[in-house]
Amino acid sequence: MSTTTASYPVTGMTCGHCVGAVTDELTALPGVTGVSVELVPAGTSTVTITSDTPLDTDEVHAALHEAGDYHLATS
């Protein structure tokens, strides 16, 4: 079985509670096998998701919204 790893820039995360909320919501997505977060309080954190298949960006966005006031950073 192959795996896919994708990293997303996320804003709005400030603490360990934020990391836990985001991790819980993203882990609940179908096919997700791992989530890691490089927290940058009050900045842009990097969220890396490992999954069985590529995730749709809309799914990731919806999970972040469900976790709290977190957003995919735009360039």
Side-chain angles (χ1 to χ4, degrees), residues 17-40:
H17 179 267
C18 299
V19 171
V22 166
T23 299
D24 288 348
E25 289 298 328
L26 291 171
T27 301
L29 293 175
V32 172
T33 57
V35 175
S36 65
V37 178
E38 184 181 325
L39 178 64
V40 179

Side-chain angles (χ1 to χ4, degrees), residues 33-75:
T33 57
V35 175
S36 65
V37 178
E38 184 181 325
L39 178 64
V40 179
T44 302
S45 300
T46 301
V47 177
T48 302
I49 305 169
T50 304
S51 58
D52 294 336
T53 58
L55 295 176
D56 182 68
T57 304
D58 290 339
E59 288 180 296
V60 174
H61 178 75
L64 292 172
H65 179 72
E66 186 67 30
D69 191 24
Y70 312 115
H71 305 279
L72 292 174
T74 55
S75 302

